[in-house]
Each structure stands twice: as C-alpha cells, then as structure tokens.
C-alpha cells in the first residue's frame, strides 16, 4: 500500500491527464439491453441500481426504529427579532428491547406564514449552535468524543453557510441536526452511532462490511423528515434536502433512498458525491477509502486505483433522483471536488430524466464561474473556494420557488 504522502502526490489536477474513460449508462440492463420507458426504470432498473449502491458503496438501508418520539425542548416565538419561531426538538428512537438513541433538531418556522410551509433540511458539521447567529441555541454535536471544536466559542461560526434569515424571509422553514448525533465522524465512531439500535456490536467487521457512516447520516435525514411530517407548520410534501461536501454526498444518498425529498441539493460533494470517479481528477477512490474508511462498505476499497473497473459512476446516483429536482453546486477553486466531474454527472443523468419527459443540460454547456443552469437537473459554478455561501443559496431559493411552491 502507498503511504498517505504518495497517495496525495498521485492526485491529478491536470485536465490533460484525465484518462480515456467510458461512462456507463444507468439505462443499460445486466443483459445488455436498454431500459425503454419510465415504468421499466421505476419498477426494474431503479431498484437494481439502488441495490448496487447499497452493496458496493454506501451500505444497506436501515429500517425505522420500533418507535420514535419527538420531544419539544424549547420554543421561542420571537427568534431573529420576530422573523421566526424557533423550536428545538429531541428525536428519541427506541427499540422493543429497550435500546435508545437520540438526536436534536433546530427548526425555524417563518412567522409570516399563513399556511404550512416548505422546508430546507440539512445536517450540520459542528453542532446546531454553530449554524445560527442566535446566542441561545442549544449546543449539540457532543456525541463526537473529545472534539474541542464544538463549544460555546464556536457559536454562529458557520451561520453564513445556513443563511437562516434569508431563507425565512423567502417563506421557507429551515431545519438542521448535527451529523455526529447519528454517527460520530471518526473511524471509531461505530459504537456511539445509531447502529447501536440495531446491532449489539456495531463495531464488528460484519457491520462494517454492511453499513457506513454516510448510510447512517442519510437515515438520520429520513428520520428528521419523519419529525417534520409531525410538525403542523410544515408542508412535508415540499422538502428540500441539502448538504455540503461529505454531507452533500449524504444528501444525494438520502435523496436516492427516500423519494419524499422533492429537491435534492449537493454542494461541493466531490468524490463519491456528484463527481465522476472515472475522471480520476482531484480526490480519488484510493485516497477517500484510506482516509475515511468508515464512510464506505469495506469492499468498496477494491476499486481504489481501479476506477475504470467500476460498473457504475456517480451519474447513476444523480439518476436515482429522477424525476425530482436535483441541484449540483460546485466552486471554481475547489479542484479537490472536481467541479467538471460534478457538472458532467448531472449531464449524464439526463437520459433517465428524458424517460420522464424532462431533460438535463448537455455535457458541452459547462458554465464559467458565476454561471448557472437551472432546470430539473441544475448546476452552478460559484467563483471561489470549497464552502457554501449566500450565492449558493440564491440559486437554491430560486429553484425552491420553482419546484417547491
Ligand atoms: C475531505 C474529503 C472530501 C469531503 C470533504 C468535506 O476533503 O476528502 O471527500 O467532501 O473532506 O466533507 O469537507
């Protein structure tokens, strides 16, 4: 095995060194024939591709726990100077044998609403208190042992990424939970993860072969949606799921498994998110499976440095969102995430959208920095670094106005 330094030195940032590659078609069936219509896609091919991703990449889907309860921890009717009502809700999961696990949601509902509103739901990295500029949000994310990053001094640090006041002014609710609540993002996070509901030994080789952190985070998004369905102020048929970077990979996997998500947003999700693996540009499979082994089923490592042998690529993951709206966002300087590879997977998902009478953009239409392509499959390239900013949100809100209102 190569050392980490050798692996990082081998990372390709040169477009002229992208190997010749063939992008597999999500419409091609195992017998070599091609899916002909939407019914065959929905009933036959889509389940087969979902199963492929479960087995090869993100792990088996988890069921609902035996019971879930939603406990209101706080309610503030004048959040953001009267703009919103803020709720903090504990999601408590319980199994018949007594095992429990919980997570905490931060939810803002716009006070101007006269009817149930659509909602943006996304997991956050450092705790709910880091997403909001309000100083009295409960500190969460403490399920990540020893993380000094999650304290009082980090309040509001990533509020820019969430744009709560803007989202609320536009008539949307916004919800978040910390991803560590579901699976602490660490190679040894298994024991403290929600997998403990289902397994006596979540840290065993058998469980690692079958489940992943990304899978558990995506499960958490679906459980958060269960909670939003119980919230009278929310119209749970109009939910956007979004995520940045590893949480963008997670949003795509959540959208693939749970069709209740009507708009699926991937921000800078890169390798094993929206980016095509076969381009071998930026982060590659060798790096990702070695640095983040808990994100993938054990056997996925077989494709490290063998991207050409993958029987699928990430255009399949985008295709699984069809015919719902999907937005792929890149940043021009975020070469690690391969903006062109992210763009192309959306283009190559077009053949599945066409079965539903919709379409995507073409592979030749890659916009310059600052440009956007807006449709059922949409793409934008923000000028700048790996991040999620107000500019990204302007496109998300425009798409939500179109597809969720
Ligand atoms: C690392 C990792 C990426 C991931 C990113 C993030 O850079 O290599 O795959 O998307 O972290 O989540 O910020």
């Amino acid at each position: 095995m190569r050392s980490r330094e050798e692996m990082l030195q081998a990372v390709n940032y040169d477009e002229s060194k992208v190997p010749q590659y063939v992008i597999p078609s999500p419409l091609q069936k195992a017998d070599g024939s091609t899916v002909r219509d939407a019914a065959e896609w929905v009933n036959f091919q889509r389940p087969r591709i979902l199963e492929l991703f479960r087995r090869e990449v993100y792990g088996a889907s988890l069921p609902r726990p035996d019971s879930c309860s939603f406990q209101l921890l706080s309610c503030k009717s004048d959040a953001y100077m009267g703009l919103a009502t803020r709720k903090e809700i504990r999601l408590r999961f319980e199994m018949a044998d007594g095992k429990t696990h919980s997570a905490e949601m931060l939810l803002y509902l716009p006070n101007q609403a006269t009817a149930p509103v659509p909602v943006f739901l996304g997991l956050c990295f450092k705790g709910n208190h880091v997403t909001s500029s309000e100083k009295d949000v409960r500190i969460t994310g403490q399920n990540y042992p020893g993380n000094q990053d999650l304290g009082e001094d980090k309040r509001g640090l990533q509020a820019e990424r969430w744009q709560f006041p803007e989202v609320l002014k536009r008539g949307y609710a916004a919800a978040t939970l910390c991803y560590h609540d579901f699976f602490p993002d660490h190679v040894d996070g298994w024991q403290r993860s929600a997998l403990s509901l289902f397994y006596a030994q979540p840290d065993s080789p058998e469980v690692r072969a079958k489940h992943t952190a990304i899978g558990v985070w995506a499960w958490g998004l679906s459980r958060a949606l269960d909670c939003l369905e119980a919230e009278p102020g929310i119209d749970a048929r109009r939910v956007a799921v979004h995520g940045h970077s590893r949480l963008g990979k997670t949003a795509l996997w959540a959208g693939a498994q749970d069709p209740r998500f009507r708009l699926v947003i991937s921000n800078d999700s890169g390798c094993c998110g929206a980016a095509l693996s076969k381009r071998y540009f930026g982060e590659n499979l060798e790096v990702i499976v070695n640095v983040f082994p808990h994100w993938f089923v054990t056997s996925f490592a077989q494709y490290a440095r063998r991207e050409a042998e993958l029987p699928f690529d990430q255009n399949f993951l985008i295709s699984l969102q069809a015919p719902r709206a999907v937005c792929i966002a890149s940043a021009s300087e975020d070469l690690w995430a391969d903006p062109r590879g992210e763009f192309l997977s959306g283009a190559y998902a077009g053949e599945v959208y066409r079965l539903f009478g919709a379409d995507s953009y073409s592979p030749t239409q890659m916009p310059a920095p600052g440009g956007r392509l807006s449709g059922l499959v949409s793409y934008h390239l923000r000028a700048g670094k790996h991040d999620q900013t107000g500019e990204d949100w302007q496109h998300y809100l425009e798409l939500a106005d179109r597809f969720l209102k």
Side-chain angles (χ1 to χ4, degrees):
M1 205 180 91
R2 301 206 263 198
S3 69
R4 191 174 286 208
E5 289 65 40
E6 287 166 330
M7 284 190 299
L8 290 175
Q9 261 158 28
V11 169
N12 174 40
Y13 291 115
D14 181 347
E15 196 61 41
S16 73
K17 295 207 176 105
V18 168
Q20 288 282 335
Y21 59 88
V22 180
I23 292 300
S25 165
L27 296 182
Q28 183 169 346
K29 296 194 279 183
D31 67 4
S33 66
T34 302
V35 170
R36 271 160 315 179
D37 53 29
E40 198 181 2
W41 169 259
V42 170
N43 298 317
F44 176 82
Q45 186 76 343
R46 188 179 190 284
R48 187 183 149 271
I49 292 177
L50 254 183
E51 205 40 51
L52 192 67
F53 277 116
R54 288 185 183 117
R55 198 180 59 235
E56 302 259 20
V57 193
Y58 308 112
S61 301
L62 290 159
R64 282 197 174 85
D66 294 336
S67 76
C68 302
S69 60
F70 310 124
Q71 180 193 356
L72 187 63
L73 300 173
S74 79
C75 182
K76 179 178 167 188
S77 57
D78 60 349
Y80 284 118
M81 296 191 314
L83 186 61
T85 295
R86 186 186 78 201
K87 293 187 177 182
E88 293 173 299
I89 304 169
R90 177 173 295 132
L91 285 63
R92 190 169 182 281
F93 312 118
E94 188 163 358
M95 301 304 280
D97 64 7
K99 291 202 218 87
T100 62
H101 192 89
S102 59
E104 264 188 54
M105 180 188 282
L106 168 65
L107 171 64
Y108 285 104
L109 295 146
N111 280 341
Q112 96 239 15
T114 52
V117 292
V119 58
F120 280 92
L121 167 67
L123 296 174
C124 62
F125 282 92
K126 294 180 186 293
N128 296 348
H129 58 299
V130 177
T131 65
S132 170
S133 58
E134 290 197 304
K135 296 298 174 212
D136 54 346
V137 169
R138 288 170 63 89
I139 292 182
T140 70
Q142 304 287 304
N143 192 31
Y144 191 21
N147 192 332
Q148 299 304 306
D149 268 7
L150 301 176
E152 198 63 44
D153 61 322
K154 294 293 186 283
R155 285 189 176 282
L157 189 73
Q158 295 187 330
E160 166 81 13
R161 282 194 181 169
W162 291 83
Q163 300 284 317
F164 288 142
E166 178 64 13
V167 171
L168 290 159
K169 279 183 208 145
R170 295 278 291 259
Y172 296 92
T176 189
L177 310 89
C178 182
Y179 77 145
H180 295 310
D181 282 8
F182 293 102
F183 192 120
D185 188 8
H186 189 274
V187 276
D188 296 321
W190 299 83
Q191 211 66 37
R192 296 173 76 101
S193 78
L195 286 166
S196 63
L197 291 168
F198 305 101
Y199 295 96
Q201 293 294 339
D203 198 4
S204 63
E206 294 74 33
V207 176
R208 286 173 184 250
K210 198 174 161 197
H211 292 286
T212 70
I214 289 179
V216 178
W217 298 330
W219 176 87
L221 284 166
S222 287
R223 300 296 69 80
L225 178 46
D226 297 343
C227 174
L228 292 169
E229 282 182 336
E231 182 57 46
I234 298 285
D235 180 351
R237 290 161 308 171
R238 297 185 290 155
V239 182
V241 64
H242 65 99
H244 169 61
S245 209
R246 66 197 70 183
L247 294 176
K249 310 181 208 296
T250 302
L252 288 170
W253 182 231
Q257 294 173 93
D258 192 334
R260 293 177 297 170
F261 293 116
R262 291 285 300 280
L263 165 60
V264 179
I265 299 169
S266 144
N267 189 77
D268 303 356
S269 62
C271 185
C272 299
L276 294 175
S277 302
K278 290 177 189 284
R279 274 173 46 80
Y280 202 76
F281 187 103
E283 186 176 23
N284 58 50
L285 299 189
E286 181 188 25
V287 174
I288 204 167
V289 299
N290 279 293
V291 180
F292 304 103
H294 56 299
W295 292 0
F296 307 101
V297 293
T298 328
S299 65
F300 188 51
Q302 69 180 301
Y303 294 111
R305 299 175 77 182
R306 291 166 65 182
E307 280 83 352
E309 290 167 37
L310 272 174
F312 56 87
D313 210 326
Q314 297 305 104
N315 55 320
F316 284 43
L317 185 62
I318 308 301
S319 303
L320 289 175
Q321 320 300 332
R324 293 163 294 148
V326 60
C327 175
I328 301 169
S330 304
S332 61
E333 294 169 31
D334 185 16
L335 298 185
W336 183 245
D338 186 14
R340 176 171 288 280
E342 295 178 315
F343 163 79
L344 286 173
S345 65
Y348 295 132
E351 54 182 331
V352 175
Y353 277 80
R354 279 195 285 283
L355 297 176
F356 295 90
D359 205 350
S360 182
Y361 46 79
S362 106
T364 59
Q365 272 180 296
M366 173 116 187
R372 324 170 156 176
L373 301 165
S374 304
L376 215 46
V377 181
S378 54
Y379 178 83
H380 72 252
L381 181 61
R382 175 175 49 74
K385 296 192 192 325
H386 187 69
D387 199 357
Q388 178 162 272
T389 72
E391 187 182 328
D392 296 306
W393 277 98
Q394 285 313 316
H395 197 201
Y396 305 157
L397 288 164
E398 180 191 314
L399 294 167
D401 287 350
R402 194 152 142 204
F403 296 114
L404 295 183
K405 274 195 168 161

